[in-house]
Amino acid sequence: MNNNSTVLYESIILIIDDEPTNLALIKIYLKAYKILIARSGEEGIKLAHSAQPHLILLDVIMPDMDGFETCRRLKSDEQTQEIPVLFMTVLSDIEDKLKGFAAGGVDYITKPFHDKELLARVQTHLKLQQALQAAETANHAKSQFLANMSHELRTPLNAILGYTQLFKDDKSLMEKQGKQIDIIHRSGEHLLMIINDILDMSKIEAGKIELESVDFHLPDFLKTLVEMSQIKAQLKGISFIYEPMPDLPTGVQGDEKHLRQILLNLLSNAIKFTEQGQVIFKVQSLKMKEQTTKYSHIRFQVEDTGIGIPPEQLEKIFLPFHQVGEQRLQRQGTGLGLAISRQLVHLMGSELYVESTMGSTFWFDLDLPKVSGISEPVTKEQQMPVGFRGGKRNILIIDDNMENRLFLKTMLLGLGFEIAEAVNGRDALIQMTHFQPQLILLDLVMPEMDGFEFVRKIRQNPSLKDIIVIAISAKVFQQTKQESLAAGCQDFIAKPVQFATLLEHLQTHLGLEWIYTQAQNLVFPTREKLEELLALVEIHHITGIHQYINQMKEFDPKLGLFISTVEQFSKKYQFEKLIEFIQYSGEK
Ligand code: ADP
């Protein structure tokens, strides 16, 4: 703490005052500091810009521009807004003191000055300023550390999830192994959720979260959320009711990704903390006093009949890592969801509210600009292709991590691509003397020659400059994405790489047409077998269903297509659809 005085000694103080007597006096009182002087508001603003003082003492009454206006201008400029301003005012003038605070001042000193008081106030604010800077530096270091850690954790997790995803659909696995793989996959996904939450929280705290406005189809966006929630509610045996008001707009503009994150958090909490009864998701257009045709004022509300939240906990649940209630339920979450959701709602310029009496109700209102011409996205069947039409396609995978390369390679070889691998940029340039890729999947962080340098190099080479390059990185800050695009990559995929995302990118950039499994004739089981299966489906007995269809497959291989259709539905817990399908099959 002692070294504070040395640091304070070096502090620069800017005094903005037009009165020579005042200036002379303050200079004597503050002789221990480096003093800069400006005799008008305009001059003071310029000096504050160039010298970046640690503190500004500002007179209220000055000709041309008074102290309040000077302060407002200092505070509205990014380069000077953090410098604390102390007003110098006349003792009795309360009005001026209040105006000073309103203009952004942190304190005031009254005239006539008392040397010790002046010194004490100046010292206090310099110390505060120093503490603030130290906290900011520490916070920055923390968020940097968390971002790097998340990168380090995501890379191996990428390989784990990638492989379990591959194995999950592997029919040659024994049932026991399949279940174990499933556990590994779910645990990996949980870990990814925690890493993502921590990263989100650190990004928000460091003021680094970027809201990205896009045009989207609101009813379709809500439908997807509802479908996901319905499955979860169904599994818990509670009802899920969706109540959209009929006057909702179709096309809106907003941060779709973060809005989804907030709503999914509120919906999954409501389902998680409700054992009986229902969860109601209400979305309505609010009628505002000032109606505009440009904006929609929308209220998103999630109500449940669950365990509720005690009044003394209502504020605390928004704090990071704060969880109340049963241990068992706490384990299913990170305690960060509401903290993140509330901060995101704040960033969107609104407030997240909660009320809890019998159950809980969470809601928030958003002003979303309306947009026209947004059509409903075509829903793609979640079917995996087995190959693509047309000639051969070469893909070069550049990644220093062997597991990551192997994972991408296994996947792409299976679809019929020609693959070459390289361990860094330099190695890739060598490979490209005999392997001509149409597309490159490029890791960014690598030894010797990293992804950025590599892509810059090939963009300068006339014979290589047109190759499509997709960056793949676990560094998920928007900045990394932008840097990779600026360096010359056409696109960016975040790790862990999801099959479907990768396929979409390949399709877009290579103009591919996928081939799905060859058409088969649909053969149905006997009525008796269908009834037995139906009985299992009606009680949502997932393992029973799978055992039964496996037996069926052994008994009659021609039932392959029927069985895979049942699997498609049961994997997604779409029991209603499955019942419909079995009943339909019975009529054939
Ligand atoms: P978690 O990951 O534990 O769900 P959140 O930040 O989303 O973390 O929620 C914090 C805590 O707030 C929860 O652990 C729970 O105690 C309480 N909570 C949140 N939503 C509800 C709800 N709908 N009903 C009852 N309690 C809730």
Side-chain angles (χ1 to χ4, degrees):
M1 273 288 136
N2 275 345
N3 59 5
N4 265 358
S5 51
T6 36
V7 181
L8 291 180
Y9 186 80
E10 286 157 10
S11 299
I12 305 169
I13 300 175
L14 168 63
I15 305 164
I16 310 177
D17 197 339
D18 61 322
E19 260 185 66
T21 33
N22 261 350
L23 287 169
L25 204 62
I26 301 171
K27 263 182 101 167
I28 297 170
Y29 290 165
L30 300 179
K31 60 179 179 297
Y33 300 98
K34 184 168 165 39
I35 301 290
L36 299 175
I37 286 176
R39 290 177 198 278
S40 70
E42 210 59 71
E43 195 189 330
I45 291 170
K46 270 194 207 135
L47 208 53
H49 250 262
S50 55
Q52 291 289 311
H54 298 96
L55 187 68
I56 297 175
L57 298 187
L58 180 58
D59 189 23
V60 171
I61 302 158
M62 290 185 294
D64 299 331
M65 192 195 315
D66 69 8
F68 304 127
E69 181 55 22
T70 310
C71 188
R72 272 192 287 273
R73 283 190 38 195
L74 286 165
K75 293 293 152 191
S76 60
D77 186 326
E78 239 178 58
Q79 292 209 34
T80 51
Q81 64 188 186
E82 302 296 336
I83 309 170
V85 174
L86 263 76
F87 278 98
M88 299 185 282
T89 136
V90 181
L91 184 61
S92 57
D93 215 336
I94 294 286
E95 187 96 331
D96 273 0
K97 290 172 191 166
L98 293 177
K99 267 169 94 178
F101 283 120
V106 288
D107 204 356
Y108 57 84
I109 310 164
T110 47
K111 295 179 196 173
F113 301 124
H114 186 281
D115 59 345
K116 291 211 174 92
E117 187 195 348
L118 178 65
L119 208 57
R121 287 202 189 239
V122 163
Q123 262 176 3
T124 305
H125 285 287
L126 284 174
K127 273 188 194 158
L128 271 176
Q129 177 73 351
Q130 241 178 24
L132 202 68
Q133 270 168 4
E136 264 167 22
T137 314
N139 201 24
H140 184 75
K142 182 193 77 178
S143 80
Q144 202 59 41
F145 168 76
L146 286 171
N148 289 340
M149 274 302 285
S150 113
H151 173 246
E152 296 305 322
L153 293 171
R154 270 163 185 266
T155 306
L157 201 52
N158 174 38
I160 297 173
L161 284 177
Y163 274 104
T164 48
Q165 211 167 0
L166 269 182
F167 284 138
K168 259 161 70 103
D169 293 329
D170 191 337
K171 302 277 180 299
S172 64
L173 285 183
M174 310 276 287
E175 192 191 338
K176 192 171 153 209
Q177 292 164 326
K179 274 189 194 152
Q180 288 163 343
I181 293 283
D182 212 41
I183 294 173
I184 301 175
H185 193 76
R186 272 188 281 127
S187 309
E189 281 182 335
H190 187 76
L191 198 54
L192 190 62
M193 178 179 90
I194 298 174
I195 296 170
N196 284 341
D197 275 0
I198 293 178
L199 184 66
D200 270 355
M201 202 60 213
S202 71
K203 281 208 270 186
I204 292 174
E205 280 182 352
K208 271 200 183 165
I209 204 103
E210 303 104 358
L211 289 188
E212 255 182 282
S213 243
V214 291
D215 296 348
F216 65 97
H217 191 283
L218 183 68
D220 188 73
F221 164 83
L222 295 168
K223 197 174 109 205
T224 317
L225 290 175
V226 169
E227 279 171 3
M228 289 165 84
S229 308
Q230 257 161 353
I231 296 172
K232 287 191 201 157
Q234 216 166 35
L235 280 175
K236 274 197 84 174
I238 56 172
S239 333
F240 186 87
I241 300 163
Y242 175 42
E243 288 183 5
M245 287 293 155
D247 56 349
L248 286 180
T250 311
V252 290
Q253 197 179 68
D255 189 327
E256 185 188 11
K257 191 179 101 194
H258 287 120
L259 182 58
R260 178 181 299 115
Q261 185 177 354
I262 302 166
L263 288 170
L264 272 182
N265 181 241
L266 299 182
L267 289 166
S268 50
N269 274 352
I271 296 167
K272 185 161 76 176
F273 296 105
T274 303
E275 295 303 329
Q276 266 181 2
Q278 64 208 33
V279 169
I280 309 178
F281 181 29
K282 288 184 183 163
V283 186
Q284 65 182 107
S285 277
L286 299 177
K287 299 277 170 280
M288 304 297 282
K289 267 188 247 138
E290 265 179 60
Q291 283 291 356
T292 64
T293 45
K294 285 191 189 146
Y295 284 88
S296 281
H297 309 280
I298 301 175
R299 172 162 298 176
F300 299 90
Q301 181 162 321
V302 180
E303 291 174 26
D304 65 57
T305 54
I307 56 169
I309 304 153
E312 69 280 6
Q313 297 288 344
L314 278 179
E315 249 319 293
K316 292 191 187 141
I317 53 167
F318 292 104
L319 298 174
F321 300 111
H322 200 91
Q323 298 178 304
V324 284
E326 270 181 73
Q327 279 276 317
R328 175 179 62 88
L329 293 173
Q330 291 185 10
R331 269 199 304 275
Q332 289 173 21
T334 59
L336 280 168
L338 282 178
I340 294 171
S341 297
R342 169 131 100 173
Q343 297 281 11
L344 289 174
V345 172
H346 284 175
L347 282 174
M348 293 178 183
S350 187
E351 184 57 82
L352 176 58
Y353 298 99
V354 58
E355 245 175 37
S356 191
T357 42
M358 298 300 280
S360 312
T361 303
F362 286 82
W363 77 97
F364 60 98
D365 302 339
L366 290 184
D367 286 348
L368 300 177
K370 291 184 207 166
V371 285
S372 53
I374 300 281
S375 54
E376 193 167 356
V378 192
T379 42
K380 280 183 243 133
E381 252 314 300
Q382 281 283 326
Q383 229 182 341
M384 282 295 161
V386 290
F388 54 88
R389 284 185 222 289
K392 75 181 179 88
R393 302 295 168 107
N394 291 357
I395 296 183
L396 175 62
I397 302 168
I398 314 177
D399 196 320
D400 57 327
N401 183 304
M402 199 257 289
E403 276 94 12
N404 287 346
R405 283 198 317 271
L406 198 60
F407 160 59
L408 290 172
K409 185 176 154 185
T410 317
M411 216 180 100
L412 296 173
L413 279 177
L415 289 169
F417 290 97
E418 304 285 322
I419 300 295
E421 298 170 65
V423 295
N424 59 42
R426 198 179 308 285
D427 182 25
L429 291 174
I430 300 168
Q431 299 277 337
M432 283 159 77
T433 54
H434 54 86
F435 182 83
Q436 275 93 41
Q438 276 100 31
L439 187 140
I440 295 173
L441 296 174
L442 177 69
D443 182 28
L444 292 175
V445 186
M446 291 179 296
E448 286 192 57
M449 186 191 288
D450 69 9
F452 297 106
E453 195 184 338
F454 168 78
V455 75
R456 272 186 219 112
K457 275 221 155 54
I458 65 161
R459 292 295 176 236
Q460 284 161 10
N461 183 327
S463 62
L464 304 177
K465 72 176 183 4
D466 295 326
I467 302 175
I468 297 153
V469 180
I470 301 180
I472 297 190
S473 175
K475 290 222 177 207
V476 285
F477 279 128
Q478 189 68 8
Q479 198 190 348
T480 317
K481 183 173 169 182
Q482 273 154 7
E483 273 168 17
S484 67
L485 298 182
C489 296
Q490 268 90 348
D491 221 328
F492 181 94
I493 303 180
K495 282 183 186 174
V497 178
Q498 300 289 322
F499 272 160
T501 316
L502 180 62
L503 294 184
E504 263 174 37
H505 282 71
L506 293 181
Q507 182 176 22
T508 312
H509 291 289
L510 295 174
L512 295 176
E513 192 190 334
W514 298 118
I515 302 171
Y516 294 93
T517 25
Q518 276 118 26
Q520 294 173 19
N521 281 336
L522 194 51
V523 177
F524 300 101
T526 60
R527 186 170 289 270
E528 193 190 348
K529 289 231 167 341
L530 283 173
E531 271 167 18
E532 280 169 6
L533 180 61
L534 192 61
L536 292 168
V537 177
E538 277 171 345
I539 55 167
H540 300 184
H541 192 336
I542 279 282
T543 36
I545 298 171
H546 287 161
Q547 272 166 7
Y548 195 79
I549 54 176
N550 280 337
Q551 278 172 16
M552 268 188 182
K553 201 169 5 187
E554 276 172 32
F555 184 69
D556 186 356
K558 284 207 293 295
L559 291 173
L561 191 55
F562 171 84
I563 288 167
S564 64
T565 313
V566 173
E567 275 174 342
Q568 295 260 351
F569 287 126
S570 65
K571 262 191 213 153
K572 292 188 206 153
Y573 304 105
Q574 292 171 327
F575 296 111
E576 296 299 324
K577 287 191 179 158
L578 188 48
I579 291 172
E580 255 177 47
F581 175 67
I582 296 173
Q583 282 166 347
Y584 160 83
S585 309
E587 289 159 15
K588 295 282 139 188

